[in-house]
């Protein structure tokens, strides 16, 4: 299949859109698509989405913007500007105002955790947790399609001048060499595997060379965080550089490194297409290990049976369930967000249904400024309810694995909404404030 993508500019030409959606529904996509990035491709249209029941199709809801993603007044504002053929500069101004209201940079992504070496900032990286450095290759800052709930959305619409980009792989190697606690490098984006293999090799080959030369004894794992298996399986099947990509995976393995692809899988239905299953087989044959992670999203996967089925399907396909995340406090969190207590209930009910093999999954977890905070659950002490939490990754590694408590709150969506129980502050807060200043 030849890759063809559709965006706001041309989505009305998709025949399935014309056949199945009402005029109002098409207009809604247009309105919301002006605010949040929107991209879909022919694989999803032809092989993945069930158009006869598109309202309830998780894949349709993952990639198409929904009216509910904007607040009513925001929707009305953009809708009336579009209806009145407002000049472009005025339209853009209003749209940008709305975007900035949707917290485009959660968890201090832009300014914190940027590694530095000899006074030189490694602008396309983040080093937050001791063992793992994130790397955002410049050409990997887009995806084969866009998830409507994506927390990287600002970089797709270009309001991030920095774009977390880097081509400074040699500085990266030097940084890993000097920071011997780093064992993992996680390539992320966007989707790093949207890069053509020859470009990807500009990044990977020097790392493998350094590893072979004994310069990176601490490095053990390379990860590629990707959605490509679900959004464009041809990346591993028929694209002209598919073979070369799988060869590169083999070369990574031959260097003695663990190679893992954390796959972004939101729903078991994404694993149904034959092409996707074939791609998974081919990746596994290269020696890479597949893991899965996904946010828990209202309107997409807020149902324990779907999660249980997803983890079981993953195990069946040799994918290791890894993370369930909470919806980040960005974009349309009011639309997609699931409260902490409800998320725990969904997780528990799903976890209860699967065997130990699928219970490798951890969550629900919030990637918050101090770290990855997992919701252990609701406990009752002396007749009062509390929420038990713990870090599974911390800005300070010593925070990990210590249960702590918050007051019960059914509405809370995020760590910031919770109030500490038994103490004035959460145990990590003082140290956290020092980091901020
Ligand atoms: C999740 C995450 C990682 C990886 O953590 P693991 O527990 O090793 O999977 C690394 N850096 C950041 C900023 C993260 O959010
Ligand atoms: S695959 Fe990931 S980075 Fe790409 S649009 Fe979806 S959530 Fe965003």
């Amino acid at each position: 299949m030849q890759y063809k993508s559709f965006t706001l500019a041309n989505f009305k030409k998709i025949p399935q859109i014309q056949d199945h959606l009402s005029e109002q529904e098409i207009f809604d996509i247009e309105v919301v698509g002006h605010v949040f990035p929107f991209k879909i491709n022919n694989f999803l249209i032809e092989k993945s989405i069930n158009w006869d029941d598109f309202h309830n199709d998780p894949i349709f809801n993952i990639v198409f913007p929904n009216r509910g993603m904007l607040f009513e007044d925001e929707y009305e504002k953009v809708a009336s500007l579009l209806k009145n053929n407002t000049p472009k500069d005025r339209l853009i101004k209003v749209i940008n105002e709305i975007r900035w209201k949707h917290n485009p940079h959660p968890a201090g992504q832009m300014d914190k955790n940027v590694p530095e070496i000899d006074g030189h900032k490694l602008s396309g990286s983040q080093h937050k947790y001791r063992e793992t450095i994130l790397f955002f290759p410049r050409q990997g800052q887009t995806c084969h399609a866009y998830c409507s709930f994506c927390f990287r959305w600002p970089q797709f619409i270009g309001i991030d001048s920095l774009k977390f980009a880097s081509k400074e792989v040699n500085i990266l190697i030097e940084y890993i060499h000097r920071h011997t606690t780093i064992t993992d490098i996680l390539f992320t984006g966007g989707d790093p595997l949207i890069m053509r293999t020859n470009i990807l090799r500009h990044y990977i080959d020097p790392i493998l060379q350094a590893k072979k030369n004994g310069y990176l004894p601490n490095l053990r794992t390379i990860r590629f965080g990707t959605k490509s298996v679900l959004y464009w399986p041809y990346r591993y099947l028929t694209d002209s550089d598919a073979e070369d990509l799988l060869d590169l995976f083999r070369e990574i393995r031959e260097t003695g490194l663990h190679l893992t692809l954390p796959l972004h899988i939101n729903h078991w239905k994404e694993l149904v297409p034959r092409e996707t299953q074939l791609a998974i087989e081919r990746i596994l044959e290269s020696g890479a290990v597949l893991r899965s992670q996904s946010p828990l999203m209202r309107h997409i996967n807020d149902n324990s049976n779907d999660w249980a089925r997803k983890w079981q399907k993953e195990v069946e396909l040799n994918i290791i369930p890894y993370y369930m995340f909470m919806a980040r406090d960005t974009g349309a969190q009011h639309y997609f967000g699931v409260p902490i207590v409800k998320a725990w209930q969904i997780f528990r009910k799903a976890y209860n249904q699967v065997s130990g093999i699928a219970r490798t999954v951890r969550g629900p977890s919030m990637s918050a400024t101090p770290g990855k905070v997992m919701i252990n659950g609701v406990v009752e002490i002396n007749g009062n309810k509390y929420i038990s939490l713990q870090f599974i990754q911390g800005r300070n590694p010593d925070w990990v694995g210590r249960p702590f408590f918050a007051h019960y709150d059914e509405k809370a969506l995020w760590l910031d909404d919770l109030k500490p129980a038994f103490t004035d502050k959460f145990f990590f807060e003082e140290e956290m404030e020092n980091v901020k200043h």
Side-chain angles (χ1 to χ4, degrees):
M1 189 179 260
Q2 201 62 30
Y3 177 78
K4 242 170 89 181
S5 70
F6 298 86
T7 64
L8 184 63
N10 61 351
F11 80 98
K12 288 184 212 164
K13 290 191 198 136
I14 301 170
Q16 287 86 343
I17 288 281
Q18 290 299 342
D19 292 349
H20 293 88
L21 273 69
S22 69
E23 233 168 86
Q24 182 62 45
E25 284 163 339
I26 294 173
F27 183 66
D28 289 348
I29 292 173
E30 203 173 348
V31 172
V32 184
H34 268 85
V35 177
F36 295 112
F38 167 44
K39 182 163 99 178
I40 181 168
N41 67 46
N42 47 338
F43 168 73
L44 295 171
I45 294 165
E46 290 169 33
K47 309 261 182 175
S48 216
I49 292 170
N50 173 12
W51 289 96
D52 290 329
D53 188 22
F54 75 89
H55 282 118
N56 296 311
D57 185 80
I59 296 141
F60 180 90
N61 289 319
I62 288 166
V63 285
F64 280 95
N66 187 287
R67 175 170 179 156
M69 290 169 61
L70 289 179
F71 292 112
E72 202 50 39
D73 60 318
E74 296 170 337
Y75 176 91
E76 292 303 338
K77 218 179 211 173
V78 179
S80 78
L81 291 177
L82 289 179
K83 279 181 189 151
N84 295 326
N85 287 320
T86 309
K88 204 150 194 166
D89 48 339
R90 164 97 186 106
L91 184 65
I92 287 171
K93 197 167 162 282
V94 172
I95 285 166
N96 279 338
E97 277 167 17
I98 295 175
R99 285 168 172 173
W100 282 110
K101 279 194 221 146
H102 286 264
N103 187 23
H105 299 121
Q109 285 187 69
M110 298 298 290
D111 48 349
K112 289 195 202 78
N113 324 313
V114 178
E116 222 179 281
I117 191 161
D118 302 335
H120 183 105
K121 275 201 171 30
L122 245 165
S123 62
S125 311
Q126 248 183 306
H127 186 199
K128 183 168 174 181
Y129 306 132
R130 192 170 52 187
E131 291 80 16
T132 305
I133 185 162
L134 303 192
F135 190 62
F136 300 79
R138 192 164 44 88
Q139 303 88 340
Q141 302 314 305
T142 185
C143 295
H144 291 94
Y146 292 156
C147 311
S148 48
F149 48 78
C150 179
F151 73 90
R152 300 270 186 229
W153 62 276
Q155 69 203 38
F156 298 151
I157 51 174
I159 62 175
D160 276 3
S161 51
L162 205 71
K163 247 194 163 187
F164 280 131
S166 177
K167 53 177 181 179
E168 303 168 282
V169 68
N170 290 326
I171 304 172
L172 177 73
I173 289 170
E174 188 56 29
Y175 186 85
I176 298 173
H177 171 75
R178 292 195 203 174
H179 292 79
T180 52
T181 60
I182 295 177
T183 57
D184 288 36
I185 166 165
L186 167 49
F187 285 84
T188 182
D191 189 335
L193 296 181
I194 200 162
M195 283 191 275
R196 302 269 55 109
T197 309
N198 62 344
I199 293 173
L200 191 56
R201 279 186 181 280
H202 287 308
Y203 295 100
I204 303 299
D205 288 351
I207 294 171
L208 297 186
Q209 202 53 52
K211 180 71 192 171
K212 281 183 202 154
N213 293 342
Y215 200 63
L216 298 175
N218 43 313
L219 184 68
R220 296 170 181 275
T221 299
I222 292 183
R223 311 188 204 177
F224 296 116
T226 188
K227 180 104 192 170
S228 53
V229 179
L230 301 310
Y231 273 175
W232 191 250
Y234 306 102
R235 183 74 193 87
Y236 309 90
L237 303 174
T238 51
D239 278 7
S240 60
D241 59 349
E243 275 315 316
D244 193 27
L245 180 63
L246 295 164
D247 282 342
L248 179 62
F249 289 178
R250 284 182 197 103
E251 289 162 36
I252 293 172
R253 291 289 299 130
E254 281 157 15
T255 314
L257 293 166
H258 175 62
L259 170 63
T260 188
L261 275 60
L263 303 180
H264 176 195
I265 309 174
N266 306 120
H267 199 280
W268 58 267
K269 281 192 181 162
E270 290 179 286
L271 292 165
V272 171
R274 216 177 69 86
E275 291 84 346
T276 294
Q277 297 195 4
L278 280 174
I280 288 168
E281 266 175 42
R282 299 202 72 194
I283 296 166
L284 290 170
E285 276 164 17
S286 79
V289 173
L290 297 176
R291 289 181 166 79
S292 80
Q293 55 189 31
S294 167
L296 168 61
M297 296 282 168
R298 203 149 60 91
H299 303 290
I300 307 247
N301 61 13
D302 57 337
N303 169 309
S304 51
N305 292 341
D306 283 332
W307 277 90
R309 193 157 169 189
K310 178 175 113 79
W311 296 332
Q312 279 165 336
K313 184 105 199 137
E314 286 164 359
V315 168
E316 190 184 306
L317 297 170
N318 272 349
I319 302 166
I320 303 167
Y322 192 47
Y323 278 130
M324 177 201 271
F325 291 121
M326 294 290 292
R328 289 216 187 206
D329 51 346
T330 178
Q333 198 204 21
H334 64 97
Y335 180 73
F336 291 116
V338 176
I340 286 171
V341 171
K342 175 100 188 288
W344 166 67
Q345 286 162 345
I346 291 171
F347 179 87
R348 205 171 86 88
K349 237 176 116 188
Y351 198 77
N352 280 349
Q353 293 180 41
V354 298
S355 86
I357 296 293
R359 291 187 190 175
T360 47
V361 66
R362 292 173 304 162
S365 166
M366 295 175 268
S367 296
T369 311
K372 280 191 171 69
V373 178
M374 185 171 95
I375 300 146
N376 290 329
V378 175
V379 287
E380 214 173 301
I381 303 170
N382 289 336
N384 294 315
K385 280 187 189 169
Y386 302 94
I387 297 171
S388 162
L389 308 135
Q390 70 171 313
F391 282 95
I392 47 178
Q393 280 292 358
R395 184 177 288 274
N396 177 348
D398 193 44
W399 295 345
V400 172
R402 301 181 180 188
F404 62 99
F405 295 92
H407 284 288
Y408 184 79
D409 180 348
E410 265 176 22
K411 292 210 183 83
L413 285 163
W414 198 249
L415 186 61
D416 301 352
D417 303 330
L418 293 176
K419 301 271 176 303
F422 311 120
T423 47
D424 295 342
K425 287 182 175 178
F426 289 125
F427 76 90
F428 53 88
E429 275 184 298
E430 214 148 292
E431 215 180 312
M432 198 56 222
E433 270 158 31
N434 294 338
V435 175
K436 273 181 198 156
H437 298 131

